Amino acid sequence: MELLSIKKLDLAGQKVFIRCDFNVPMDEFGNISDDRRIRSAVATINYCLDADCAVILASHLGRPKGEVLQKYSLAPVARRLQQLLKRDVILANDVVGEDAMQKSNNLEKHQVLLLENLRFEKGETANDPELAKKLASMADFYINDAFGVSHRAHSSVEGITHYFDNEHKAAGFLLEREINFFGKLINNPVRPFAAIVGGSKVSGKLEALVNLLPKVDKVFIGGGMAFTFLKQMGYNIGASLVEDDLLDEAQSIMDEAKKLGVKFYLPVDVVAAEKFSEDAVSKIVTAQEIPDSWMGLDIGPATVRLYREGLNDVQTVLWNGPMGVYEMEKFARGSSKIAHFVADSYATTVVGGGDTADLVQRIGVDDEMSFISTGGGASLELLEGKVLPGVRPLMIEKVKEEN
Ligand code: AMP
């Protein structure tokens, strides 16, 4: 199977709808704190503009859950895009309402229109065919360049593809790059292959962990999700983050790892704090001795040493999810130490997920990584060997090259 390529489309002078992933982090003042995702989309947008197209862009931002909320408006994204593209970006007031329809109808070649946040429409995450049809009606061609949401069957990602035949839809350059990279990684990783998995939610990463186990040689767990495993092992985890309904599943993951011979590493010590705050009193304790009502907010120094030892001979590293609450300086040390170690290694290093990408950038080691993926969930699902719902409609049987 191969991806439908934007380069094979006859785009000249046409109207093109590009699904982008402009779901960028913002600070408390509404400033974009990391514009990597916007910069990553520029190649595809410029390619279309160079082909004399009129370009309609669409993205989600945050989780407004079907409500029109000003704080989730794409206005700051439009401003940043304008700087990057060095041309005007027209922002529609809605997604498929009167304003968006009128502006898309009147759009001329070389003009760029950005629709408002797709998730202002309830139908987007429900993959509503009516919404998909309205979005599709705006353009002659559909391009998916939103790797970060391609594991979701949403209207602008999956539903919309049904309204375009294979000559009128394709993957953008960003999506193509991600799919090709992970394709190679999964088929032929140089071993030992390690996954470092952190972050706060076990629930979000459990299935990925189960499916990754047969593919990797070692797993290193960090972040809030470690405590569900530690609790299952009978440790007192105090007030640390835990998902009690997943204790059994945590056990079966550890059992499965044992069965498969995968080395499964858990923190042996943590930085524990009295409360979830930068100015909290904190101390380093072993994983067995977290005081009642204290919470583990970072991996400790012994864990850092242990993980470094374990990572020493590894040739491929996939990292998804921080080792602690890296947004607070006090609890960023574990993530920072691991980031430097991974960055300095000669292994192929792959970072997936908005938080982890943000983390390596803050620490200043982003240039040292082999590949930073724009999608966390999507990259994990790809590594599990799944075909993503937003990518499947853009795949065709490989055409055999004639000699
Ligand atoms: P996720 O979205 O699951 O990748 O989680 C990322 C978030 O996990 C970051 O915002 C971190 O602050 C948070 N996090 C990492 N370690 C911990 C911890 N020990 N307790 C609570 N939250 C954590």
Side-chain angles (χ1 to χ4, degrees):
M1 298 289 276
E2 69 182 342
L3 264 182
L4 289 165
S5 164
I6 186 172
K7 288 203 163 161
K8 300 227 169 99
L9 299 181
D10 193 6
L11 290 174
Q14 303 286 324
K15 211 171 259 183
V16 183
F17 183 104
I18 311 177
R19 174 45 159 118
C20 300
D21 178 7
F22 295 145
N23 187 27
V24 288
M26 307 242 191
D27 66 18
E28 67 262 45
F29 309 110
N31 300 311
I32 296 168
S33 51
D34 177 9
D35 67 355
R36 177 184 301 273
R37 285 180 165 169
I38 308 180
R39 283 186 280 119
S40 307
V42 167
T44 301
I45 300 171
N46 276 338
Y47 179 84
C48 295
L49 290 169
D50 286 349
D52 301 324
C53 296
V55 175
I56 300 166
L57 305 173
S59 174
H60 70 290
L61 176 67
R63 294 190 172 149
K65 300 192 175 156
E67 273 183 71
V68 179
L69 300 170
Q70 202 45 41
K71 79 171 200 185
Y72 293 114
S73 166
L74 285 175
V77 172
R79 284 194 291 274
R80 180 61 55 93
L81 254 178
Q82 207 149 274
Q83 293 162 355
L84 292 169
L85 295 174
K86 300 190 180 66
R87 69 176 73 218
D88 282 346
V89 172
I90 307 163
L91 178 66
N93 297 333
D94 46 30
V95 183
V96 286
E98 216 173 293
D99 190 59
M101 285 302 179
Q102 196 193 359
K103 284 180 172 149
S104 63
N105 264 333
N106 297 338
L107 200 69
E108 295 183 7
K109 65 180 188 178
H110 301 146
Q111 286 191 317
V112 179
L113 169 68
L114 174 63
L115 305 182
E116 250 306 357
N117 191 337
L118 286 160
R119 293 193 187 164
F120 284 175
E121 288 288 332
K122 271 203 177 64
E124 166 64 359
T125 52
N127 204 7
D128 173 22
E130 275 310 305
L131 175 62
K133 195 173 172 181
K134 281 187 197 161
L135 292 169
S137 73
M138 292 180 181
D140 312 302
F141 286 84
Y142 171 77
I143 306 293
N144 181 354
D145 217 13
F147 176 68
V149 279
S150 288
H151 59 312
R152 305 272 184 230
H154 292 170
S155 282
S156 66
V157 180
E158 200 277 335
I160 192 169
T161 61
H162 299 289
Y163 299 94
F164 297 89
D165 62 23
N166 287 351
E167 278 69 50
H168 292 85
K169 63 184 171 190
F173 295 119
L174 169 67
L175 183 66
E176 193 173 56
R177 202 167 76 98
E178 298 259 12
I179 299 289
N180 290 344
F181 181 86
F182 283 105
K184 274 193 220 127
L185 187 70
I186 196 70
N187 287 328
N188 211 0
V190 186
R191 295 187 179 277
F193 179 9
I196 307 174
V197 188
S200 55
K201 287 170 250 92
V202 187
S203 45
K205 289 173 189 156
L206 201 72
E207 210 193 324
L209 259 181
V210 174
N211 293 321
L212 270 179
L213 283 180
K215 309 229 155 66
V216 298
D217 304 296
K218 309 185 186 198
V219 174
F220 298 83
I221 302 285
M225 65 183 291
F227 298 100
T228 302
F229 291 95
L230 292 172
K231 181 165 182 181
Q232 179 58 22
M233 290 182 53
Y235 295 173
N236 182 7
I237 57 159
S240 306
L241 200 73
V242 67
E243 291 183 67
D244 279 314
D245 49 338
L246 295 177
L247 290 170
D248 288 345
E249 259 115 318
Q251 185 61 52
S252 52
I253 287 184
M254 292 189 281
D255 292 344
E256 187 65 13
K258 201 168 178 186
K259 211 169 87 194
L260 293 167
V262 175
K263 310 289 177 284
F264 197 83
Y265 289 79
L266 284 168
V268 289
D269 65 342
V270 300
V271 180
E274 263 185 322
K275 55 181 179 164
F276 191 86
S277 157
E278 181 90 76
D279 56 21
V281 178
S282 67
K283 61 180 175 183
I284 296 160
V285 294
T286 66
Q288 275 95 333
E289 294 185 32
I290 302 173
D292 289 343
S293 83
W294 284 53
M295 52 185 80
L297 296 180
D298 194 10
I299 55 173
T303 307
V304 170
R305 276 201 298 278
L306 173 74
Y307 283 15
R308 278 182 184 160
E309 274 310 313
L311 284 165
N312 227 349
D313 65 340
V314 158
Q315 296 297 317
T316 307
V317 183
L318 169 78
W319 185 3
N320 186 306
M323 296 289 99
V325 185
Y326 74 98
E327 298 93 332
M328 300 182 196
E329 211 182 323
K330 205 167 190 171
F331 310 111
R333 201 133 178 210
S335 298
S336 164
K337 294 260 181 200
I338 297 293
H340 280 290
F341 186 78
V342 170
D344 287 344
S345 80
Y346 281 76
T348 300
T349 50
V350 187
V351 171
D355 278 316
T356 326
D358 181 36
L359 164 76
V360 294
Q361 193 188 350
R362 280 188 200 211
I363 293 165
V365 294
D366 44 341
D367 284 345
E368 313 296 324
M369 301 294 173
S370 314
F371 190 80
I372 297 184
S373 172
T374 52
S379 59
L380 280 179
E381 290 200 13
L382 269 187
L383 283 170
E384 291 166 33
K386 290 186 183 164
V387 182
L388 312 182
V391 174
R392 186 177 292 116
L394 306 178
M395 305 283 281
I396 47 161
E397 288 296 334
K398 210 169 189 154
V399 187
K400 281 209 180 77
E401 305 233 334
E402 286 182 20
N403 290 325

